[in-house]
Amino acid sequence: MGRLGFSTSESAGLLLLGVFGVLALSVVLAEQEGENLSGLSNNPDKAIFAVRENGTTCLMVEFAVRFLVPYDVLALNGIDLITEQSSFTLPRSAEIEGKCGSKESEIHISWKSNAYTLRIYFSKEFREKDIEVWKVSKVQFVYDTSETSHFINAYNPGKHTASTHHLSALVTPAGQSFVCQAQQTLTLITSDHQKGVKISLYDIQIQPFDIASDFMFSEPHKCITDQRERLEETLPIILGFILALVIVITLTVYHFHLKLTATQPQLPRDRSMYKNM
């Protein structure tokens, strides 16, 4: 039997093949996958989605989302166009994809066989006094008006894309999660006819970077709206407590005043009677 031999070029080719194999393996090992955790929420409107890398959570969102999408329908005269509004929510059964990075991350949420796709992009940046923050830098929504469960008799049905422009939303210190019970509304502009799609998020908790524990949000950073509402709720209680305290102090002082005046001897006001004696 003859011996198997490899030329120098063949050896180099095998070496390169091995290198590419290792690189491909590392890509597979670093594969990022999306998980739908909405079943953990007792709120039927709230969805919980996570993106994981190498079995560790790297991005997590928890929110309820409502869409208000304008679309055209043909008028009864068969000539004019009328704008209708379709309102619907993000289903908890959506499919998730995403990417995690040290400076940029994103999550893609799709449902109805990709008839609808919501993409949210996050980025990190340094602001005043070298404080690092993360923010939502872009939101994009793709929707198909030929999908008849939300769009009835749509004129010229098909896929449309709406996007934000120069967005800087939900700004949060790095290493923290954004928390907001109040509604946050974004307006996206469509590429055709310049229609405005409104996306309202509420009951929110989001963290796209620096998640320390698997499936666990880091320290919450409350939105200004929640802080203001909490102050408005507690301010009447605080004022009521102060007023009650003032009343108690006033009554106490008055009580002691009466007690002191009652123990002092009463002198007659007209002392002339003593002079005639």
Side-chain angles (χ1 to χ4, degrees):
M1 294 178 63
R3 295 180 59 185
L4 293 175
F6 297 98
S7 65
T8 304
S9 59
E10 290 175 336
S11 299
L14 290 173
L15 180 60
L16 287 174
L17 184 61
V19 170
F20 283 123
V22 171
L23 290 174
L25 179 60
S26 64
V27 170
V28 172
L29 291 176
E31 184 180 358
Q32 295 164 346
E33 58 181 357
E35 288 199 24
N36 189 329
L37 307 173
S38 301
L40 300 176
S41 174
N42 295 324
N43 186 341
D45 297 325
K46 182 188 286 189
I48 306 175
F49 305 128
V51 178
R52 310 188 77 211
E53 182 180 65
N54 294 334
T56 303
T57 306
C58 57
L59 188 158
M60 197 167 172
V61 300
E62 180 176 347
F63 51 26
V65 185
R66 177 168 290 278
F67 303 87
L68 187 62
V69 183
Y71 68 102
D72 291 331
V73 298
L74 201 60
L76 293 177
N77 60 13
I79 300 174
D80 298 325
L81 293 177
I82 300 174
T83 299
E84 297 284 355
Q85 299 280 349
S86 178
S87 178
F88 51 92
T89 58
L90 174 67
R92 288 157 46 108
S93 58
E95 298 179 354
I96 314 304
E97 292 182 353
K99 297 178 182 179
C100 291
S102 59
K103 296 296 182 183
E104 294 183 349
S105 295
E106 58 191 71
I107 185 169
H108 302 177
I109 307 169
S110 303
W111 64 99
K112 288 279 186 181
S113 301
N114 292 322
Y116 305 92
T117 301
L118 175 65
R119 301 186 181 104
I120 306 176
Y121 300 85
F122 307 91
S123 63
K124 270 185 176 182
E125 65 182 25
F126 283 94
R127 296 207 167 180
E128 299 176 353
K129 301 178 181 178
D130 292 332
I131 297 175
E132 189 177 26
V133 299
W134 65 262
K135 66 178 183 179
V136 176
S137 55
K138 182 180 179 181
V139 176
Q140 187 179 76
F141 182 52
V142 179
Y143 58 98
D144 192 345
T145 54
S146 63
E147 202 284 304
T148 56
S149 62
H150 296 311
F151 301 100
I152 301 173
N153 298 325
Y155 177 77
N156 193 20
K159 282 204 170 184
H160 303 266
T161 301
S163 304
T164 56
H165 299 278
H166 310 294
L167 182 63
S168 180
L170 315 188
V171 178
T172 304
Q176 297 184 20
S177 61
F178 177 86
V179 176
C180 196
Q181 300 296 319
Q183 179 174 297
Q184 307 289 307
T185 300
L186 302 172
T187 300
L188 287 63
I189 304 301
T190 59
S191 55
D192 55 333
H193 307 302
Q194 298 298 303
K195 286 184 170 58
V197 174
K198 293 189 179 298
I199 299 180
S200 298
L201 298 85
Y202 50 97
D203 207 1
I204 310 164
Q205 187 161 15
I206 297 176
Q207 186 171 357
F209 303 100
D210 307 319
I211 296 179
S213 301
D214 205 19
F215 297 122
M216 295 288 291
F217 289 107
S218 299
E219 177 186 354
H221 173 76
K222 291 188 177 181
C223 63
I224 296 176
T225 309
D226 278 6
Q227 295 177 15
R228 188 184 301 117
E229 289 181 353
R230 185 174 181 181
L231 179 61
E232 291 174 353
E233 291 174 357
T234 57
L235 188 59
I237 299 173
I238 295 173
L239 292 176
F241 175 77
I242 293 174
L243 180 61
L245 186 61
V246 170
I247 293 173
V248 170
I249 293 173
T250 304
L251 291 175
T252 303
V253 171
Y254 181 69
H255 172 74
F256 279 107
H257 173 72
L258 290 178
K259 200 170 184 181
L260 289 173
T261 55
T263 57
Q264 293 178 356
Q266 299 294 325
L267 298 175
R269 294 180 180 177
D270 188 4
R271 299 185 182 181
S272 61
M273 58 181 294
Y274 292 101
K275 293 179 182 181
N276 297 329
M277 288 180 64

